[in-house]
Amino acid sequence: MFSKLTALFQQAVETQEPTIDLQEAFTEHWKGITNYYIETSDESTPAKKTDIPWRLKQMLDILVYEEKQGSVGEMGPCMEYLLQHKILETLGTLGKAEYPPGMKQQVLLFFTKVLGQVQHPLLQYLNVHRPVQKLIRLCGESRGASAEKEEIQFLGMICTKLKQDPCLFGYILEHKILSPLMKNVSVSESLDCLKNKNKQNKSVAELKRMNSSPASSPCKENLSEQGERLTGRASLPRECETMPGTSSSASPERSAAQKSDSHLANALLNLCKSEKKRVVLKACESLLLLVSTPQQTAAIYLTENTALCHSLTDHLCDLYCSIPTSVDSADIDLLEVVGWRSWCCTSRSEETETFPGKEAVERFIAWLAFCDELIKEAHGIIAAALAKAISERLFQGTLQPQLMQMSEMGILTSTALLTCLMRQITSPVLLEELVFFLLGKQRHPEALGDFDRHPLCYHLIEHCDHLSDEISCTTLRFFELLLQKPHEHGIYNLVLRNLEERSYTVYSAMGLEDRTAFEPEPFDDTEELEEDPYFTDGFPDSGLHTSKKLVSTMLSASKSAEPTEASQVNKTVNSFLCLVPEEAKTCHLVEGSGYDSYVHDAYVQFQQCCANALKWNWPRSLKPLESCNLEGNFYEGHFLKVLFDRMARILDQPYELNLQVTSILSKLALFPHPHLHEYLLDPYMNLGPGCRSLFSVIVRVIGELMQRIQRIPQFTAKLLSVRRQLMGLEPEELIDHTTLLKGIIVLEEFCKELAAIAFVKHPPVDP
C-alpha cells in the first residue's frame, strides 16, 4: 500500500508544470518591446493602449521575484541582463522621444518602481546612474505637463535614495567635487565592461536583425543608434566618457555646464510651481530630503554650484510682488499661521471668508513657511546660504523699499505683511537674519539724534508715533511680536543697550539709607490672604479667593526671601496699585475683573519669558554702581522714548492704541533682566537729572487726570458705564469724554498689571 502511494506521489510530481526560465521570460518581454518599434507603423497610438506597460510590469515583477529567490546581495541573471544590455538607457531615450505618446510616463514609472522595489543597490552602476541622470533632465521641463505626477514620483524616489545613502550624491549631481562620496565604482564598472564584451556577438546579431527591418520613423532610427551603443561599437557621448567624480580633462564648456546647475534641484523647483497642489507637496518634501544631507561636500556643491538658494528666494520675491497693493491690512492681520503642508492639501473650494488677494497672500506665506522649515532641516551650510539669500533678495531688495515709502496705504500693507512674516518664521537662522535686517547689529548705547546708523529701524519706530493711528497700531503690533520672539538681540538693541551703565540713577550714601529706611512688618504666616494689603487695599471685591492656591505659592516664595526683599516687593506693588485715585477706579464694581487674574496671567507670561532668556546668560543682579559710568548723559533710546511719549498721551489717544502701548510696556517689564526691572518697576529709584522712568511718566499722567476729572459732571457713573460697554455688559451709546474715560480704564488696568508683574518677579534688591 505504501509503495503505491509513493508511486502516485512521484507521478504527480513528474506531471507538474515545468519551472519557468526567468531570464528567458525577461528577455522575451524586452524583445516584445523592441519588436513593437520595428513592426508598428502607427505613431499616434498612446503607449498605455499598447502592450508596453504590461511588458514593463512583467519585467519588473521578474526582477523583484528573482531577487527574493536569490541570496542576499547576489545579482541574478535578469538584473545582469538589464545592466549589460543597457536597457535603462534605451528606455530613457524612448521616453525622451515620447514615442509612442505617453512613453515618458511609462518609463518614469518603470524607473521609479525598479529603484524602489529592488533592494540591491543599483545607482552605483554606470548603466543605471547615467540614464537616471538623463531622465532627471527631462523632469520639470514644462509646467502643467501630463507627466508631472510620474516625474515627481521618480524624483522623490531619487531623493529618498540619496537620504538613505548620501554617498550616492556623486552619481546623481554630476560634479567632480563630489568624488570623495564615490566608492568602489571602477571595479564594478570594469566587470560590467568585461561581461559586455563576452556577449558582444549575441548583441551584434540582434543589432543586425533590428537594422535589417524597414525603418519608417525617426524613432526607429534612434532605437538602432541605441542598439549600436548597447553593443559598445559606437562611441559614447563626451559627457559619458568618464564616470562622475573622475579627474579627466573636460572642456571649458563641460566645466561651465557642471558649475551652472543641478538638474535634480532645478526639476524639483520647477515642479514646486505646479498648479497641482499634490505635486507641489511632493516636490517640497523631496527638496527637504535633498537639502538635509549630512555630507558637507554635497552641501557645498548645492550652495556654490547650483542656483538652489537663489531660485527658492526668487520665487519667494515673485510671490510677494504678486500680492495686490489693494489688500486691506486688517484682513492680513486676521490671517492665521499658514502651514505649507496644510496649504498644499487644501483645495480652493474649501477656503472660507475670502477677501481680494487672500490667495496671493497665503501662497506667499505658505512658500515662506516651506523655506523656513527647509532652513531648519537643511545642512548648516545650506541653511546659512539660503537665509542670507532671503535677507538680501526679499528683506533688503523687496521689503525694505516698501517699508520706507511715504504712502500711508503702502506702509500699512507692508507693515502688516512684515508682521505676518515675523509670525511665520521659527528657524533661528532666518530669524536672526530678519532681526539684524530690521534693527541692525549695533549693541553700543544710542545717542540722541543718532538716527543714521540704521534708517529702517528709525523709520519703523517713528511709525509707532505716526499721525495715522492705524499705522501706529499696526507698527506697535509688529514690535510686540518681535519682542516675543526668542532672539536676545531684539530686546537688547531696542532697550537694554541703553540701560547697561545704569546712568538713569543718582545714588548717594544718603539715598541708599533713605531707600532702606522704611521696612514694613514681615508677613505673618497665619495671615489670611484676603486681609493682605497687596490685594484688598482699594479692591474689596477683587475675588482673590478664586486663585488662593497660586497666590499663596508665590507669597511663600517671597516670605522665604530676606525681610528687606519682601518689604521691597510690598512697597513696589502698593505703589502701583495706589497710583490711580479711588474716584477713578471701577474695577471693583465689575464682577470678574479682580486683581488675582492679573497675577495668574503675569505668572504664566513671566515663566515663558524666563524660558526664552535661559540661554542668553543675563546677569542675575544689578551691575555694581562702582563699575558703572554714571557721568554720561542718559538717553532711554528711540524705542522707549516713543513708548513713553505715547504713554504720556494716554488720556487723549484711541482705546485700541492705548491697549497696544501698554501691552508692549508690560511685555518689556516681564523680561528677567535686573536693569530692565529696575528702570520700569522700581518706584523708589532716584532718577538722574532730566531722566524719566515708566513710573514717573504714569505719575505725571495721574496729575493731569486729577485735574480733568473735576470738570466732568457725573464722572463716576459715566466711567462705570463706559467700562461695562467695553466688557459687553451694556449696549454702546454716545457718552461725553469717551476717549478720556477709556484712557482712565486702560491706565487702571495697566497699573494693576505692573503690580502683578512686580509681585511675581521678586527681583533682588540693589545692594
Side-chain angles (χ1 to χ4, degrees):
M1 184 66 178
F2 180 78
S3 60
K4 291 183 179 180
L5 289 175
T6 303
L8 290 174
F9 179 75
Q10 182 66 28
Q11 182 180 2
V13 170
E14 292 176 353
T15 57
Q16 282 184 347
E17 184 178 350
T19 304
I20 298 176
D21 188 336
L22 293 179
Q23 183 176 0
E24 182 180 352
F26 186 85
T27 305
E28 287 300 321
H29 284 300
W30 174 240
K31 288 181 179 179
I33 294 175
T34 57
N35 287 338
Y36 171 84
Y37 289 91
I38 296 171
E39 298 171 358
T40 186
S41 59
D42 184 7
E43 300 181 7
S44 61
T45 303
K48 63 182 179 181
K49 292 186 178 181
T50 67
D51 65 345
I52 293 177
W54 175 76
R55 291 192 179 277
L56 288 175
K57 186 177 186 308
Q58 296 303 311
M59 292 170 64
L60 172 68
D61 292 342
I62 290 173
L63 291 173
V64 174
Y65 178 79
E66 178 187 64
E67 184 178 52
K68 290 181 179 179
Q69 297 303 312
S71 303
V72 178
E74 179 182 349
M75 182 181 293
C78 295
M79 181 59 71
E80 288 184 358
Y81 184 89
L82 177 83
L83 297 177
Q84 293 163 3
H85 290 75
K86 302 183 180 179
I87 291 178
L88 294 180
E89 188 157 348
T90 303
L91 286 174
T93 301
L94 297 175
K96 180 179 181 179
E98 271 285 56
Y99 175 66
M103 187 62 183
K104 178 181 176 181
Q105 294 170 270
Q106 302 302 324
V107 171
L108 287 167
L109 192 61
F110 180 74
F111 271 68
T112 303
K113 291 184 176 180
V114 167
L115 294 175
Q117 297 183 24
V118 175
Q119 301 301 315
H120 188 83
L122 297 176
L123 285 171
Q124 292 90 336
Y125 296 100
L126 177 64
N127 292 341
V128 177
H129 66 247
R130 182 168 60 186
V132 165
Q133 291 168 357
K134 294 180 179 180
L135 203 57
I136 288 174
R137 298 171 195 165
L138 302 179
C139 297
E141 288 183 318
S142 59
R143 187 178 303 181
S146 58
E148 277 188 343
K149 178 182 176 182
E150 289 77 14
E151 288 176 0
I152 194 55
Q153 288 178 345
F154 168 67
L155 296 177
M157 178 55 64
I158 297 298
C159 292
T160 301
K161 291 294 181 181
L162 293 178
K163 181 68 174 179
Q164 294 172 353
D165 185 4
C167 293
L168 296 175
F169 269 93
Y171 304 99
I172 300 301
L173 298 185
E174 309 177 62
H175 201 273
K176 63 182 181 180
I177 69 169
L178 297 170
S179 57
L181 303 182
M182 304 180 60
K183 301 177 181 178
N184 302 326
V185 180
S186 57
V187 176
S188 60
E189 296 296 348
S190 300
L191 290 175
D192 286 342
C193 293
L194 290 174
K195 292 177 181 178
N196 282 333
K197 291 181 180 179
N198 292 334
K199 298 190 177 182
Q200 185 172 353
N201 293 334
K202 181 179 178 181
S203 300
V204 171
E206 181 181 356
L207 174 64
K208 289 180 178 180
R209 181 180 63 81
M210 294 169 62
N211 288 340
S212 64
S213 301
S216 58
S217 69
C219 292
K220 294 176 183 177
E221 295 175 4
N222 291 338
L223 183 60
S224 298
E225 294 174 3
Q226 284 295 316
E228 289 181 355
R229 292 210 299 273
L230 183 145
T231 63
R233 290 171 54 188
S235 60
L236 292 174
R238 183 169 182 82
E239 66 268 21
C240 298
E241 288 180 358
T242 57
M243 296 176 294
T246 58
S247 57
S248 62
S249 57
S251 63
E253 292 79 5
R254 169 63 177 159
S255 300
Q258 279 183 329
K259 190 174 181 180
S260 61
D261 274 327
S262 163
H263 298 290
L264 178 58
N266 280 345
L268 291 173
L269 288 169
N270 289 335
L271 289 172
C272 284
K273 303 174 185 178
S274 170
E275 295 299 325
K276 303 174 183 176
K277 288 190 174 183
R278 301 297 298 181
V279 173
V280 175
L281 176 63
K282 186 66 177 178
C284 290
E285 291 175 343
S286 300
L287 269 176
L288 284 173
L289 292 175
L290 180 64
V291 301
S292 61
T293 172
Q295 290 286 354
Q296 182 176 350
T297 311
I300 293 174
Y301 168 80
L302 287 172
T303 54
E304 296 183 357
N305 297 83
T306 75
L308 174 65
C309 296
H310 288 169
S311 297
L312 288 166
T313 308
D314 286 344
H315 187 47
L316 191 61
C317 295
D318 292 341
L319 292 176
Y320 180 88
C321 294
S322 68
I323 299 175
T325 56
S326 59
V327 175
D328 192 346
S329 61
D331 292 328
I332 298 176
D333 290 335
L334 294 176
L335 278 178
E336 298 180 354
V337 174
V338 179
W340 64 272
R341 293 180 187 273
S342 60
W343 182 83
C344 289
C345 297
T346 304
S347 62
R348 190 177 304 179
S349 60
E350 296 175 359
E351 294 178 353
T352 58
E353 300 179 2
T354 58
F355 59 84
K358 178 183 179 182
E359 183 182 357
V361 176
E362 287 190 339
R363 187 181 290 270
F364 165 73
I365 296 299
W367 188 251
L368 174 68
F370 168 68
C371 292
D372 182 65
E373 182 170 349
L374 190 146
I375 290 174
K376 288 193 292 186
E377 299 294 331
H379 189 282
I381 294 176
I382 301 176
L386 179 56
K388 190 69 175 178
I390 292 176
S391 176
E392 293 175 353
R393 292 170 177 252
L394 177 65
F395 298 162
Q396 301 174 33
T398 304
L399 193 56
Q400 182 167 335
Q402 298 291 320
L403 295 170
M404 299 284 284
Q405 63 181 307
M406 300 303 295
S407 168
E408 291 191 2
M409 184 63 68
I411 293 174
L412 273 174
T413 303
S414 58
T415 307
L417 286 172
L418 176 64
T419 305
C420 197
L421 183 147
M422 174 69 74
R423 186 185 305 116
Q424 195 74 45
I425 292 177
T426 57
S427 63
V429 179
L430 187 56
L431 177 61
E432 181 169 285
E433 289 287 346
L434 179 58
V435 171
F436 286 159
F437 158 71
L438 294 169
L439 307 180
K441 298 182 180 180
Q442 296 84 4
R443 294 183 70 87
H444 54 79
E446 295 180 69
L448 184 62
D450 187 12
F451 304 134
D452 297 331
R453 291 186 179 272
H454 200 76
L456 177 59
C457 181
Y458 170 75
H459 276 79
L460 286 174
I461 295 175
E462 280 293 296
H463 290 168
C464 296
D465 200 9
H466 200 276
L467 292 175
S468 168
D469 292 334
E470 191 175 1
I471 290 179
S472 296
C473 280
T474 302
T475 311
L476 286 167
R477 276 194 293 270
F478 158 72
F479 276 106
E480 182 180 11
L481 181 61
L482 173 61
L483 291 171
Q484 293 174 344
K485 286 292 181 177
H487 198 285
E488 188 263 356
H489 187 71
I491 178 64
Y492 191 90
N493 181 278
L494 291 172
V495 179
L496 283 178
R497 59 174 170 153
N498 303 306
L499 308 180
E500 282 294 332
E501 296 299 325
R502 298 177 66 190
S503 54
Y504 47 82
T505 63
V506 177
Y507 286 149
S508 62
M510 185 61 188
L512 290 175
E513 292 174 1
D514 294 342
R515 182 172 182 173
T516 58
F518 175 74
E519 295 182 5
E521 296 181 0
F523 300 123
D524 185 1
D525 291 339
T526 61
E527 184 178 11
E528 292 293 334
L529 290 176
E530 289 83 359
E531 298 175 1
D532 194 284
Y534 282 175
F535 310 102
T536 58
D537 188 12
F539 302 98
D541 299 324
S542 63
L544 179 61
H545 55 280
T546 60
S547 62
K548 182 185 297 184
K549 182 177 180 181
L550 172 67
V551 178
S552 62
T553 301
M554 291 181 290
L555 272 177
S556 62
S558 90
K559 293 175 186 179
S560 64
E562 295 294 331
T564 55
E565 180 180 340
S567 62
Q568 183 66 24
V569 175
N570 184 18
K571 290 193 297 180
T572 300
V573 170
N574 280 294
S575 296
F576 281 106
L577 289 179
C578 298
L579 267 176
V580 179
E582 290 297 325
E583 56 268 32
K585 293 179 179 179
T586 55
C587 191
H588 61 288
L589 301 176
V590 179
E591 185 180 358
S593 59
Y595 172 76
D596 58 314
S597 61
Y598 285 90
V599 174
H600 180 276
D601 293 342
Y603 180 77
V604 173
Q605 295 177 33
F606 180 61
Q607 296 303 314
Q608 295 174 349
C609 281
C610 290
N612 288 335
L614 277 177
K615 56 186 177 183
W616 295 345
N617 297 320
W618 278 354
R620 294 176 175 265
S621 59
L622 294 165
K623 185 177 180 180
L625 290 175
E626 56 270 17
S627 61
C628 293
N629 180 18
L630 302 179
E631 297 180 357
N633 293 327
F634 173 70
Y635 176 51
E636 64 261 34
H638 194 200
F639 186 62
L640 278 182
K641 176 185 180 300
V642 169
L643 291 179
F644 285 175
D645 290 345
R646 279 294 190 184
M647 190 67 203
R649 302 195 298 268
I650 192 173
L651 301 179
D652 301 303
Q653 294 174 156
Y655 177 69
E656 292 77 12
L657 182 57
N658 286 335
L659 288 179
Q660 204 62 55
V661 172
T662 55
S663 178
I664 292 181
L665 287 170
S666 63
K667 293 290 189 304
L668 290 174
L670 281 165
F671 280 99
H673 194 287
H675 294 179
L676 196 57
H677 179 93
E678 177 185 46
Y679 186 63
L680 295 180
L681 294 176
D682 188 353
Y684 301 97
M685 175 181 59
N686 293 327
L687 286 172
C691 299
R692 59 177 178 173
S693 66
L694 178 58
F695 188 82
S696 68
V697 172
I698 297 177
V699 167
R700 291 188 180 92
V701 173
I702 296 299
E704 183 180 353
L705 169 66
M706 294 296 293
Q707 297 179 7
R708 295 174 66 171
I709 63 177
Q710 303 299 327
R711 300 192 291 268
I712 300 178
Q714 300 179 336
F715 167 75
T716 304
K718 292 180 179 179
L719 183 63
L720 180 60
S721 179
V722 170
R723 174 177 277 278
R724 294 180 65 85
Q725 289 179 19
L726 291 174
M727 299 182 66
L729 301 178
E730 288 184 5
E732 291 193 15
E733 59 180 25
L734 183 61
I735 299 177
D736 296 337
H737 309 286
T738 300
T739 300
L740 172 64
L741 297 174
K742 288 183 178 179
I744 294 173
I745 294 172
V746 173
L747 186 62
E748 180 189 1
E749 300 290 337
F750 183 51
C751 289
K752 290 194 300 179
E753 191 172 7
L754 292 177
I757 293 173
F759 176 64
V760 301
K761 288 179 72 174
H762 301 297
V765 178
D766 183 33

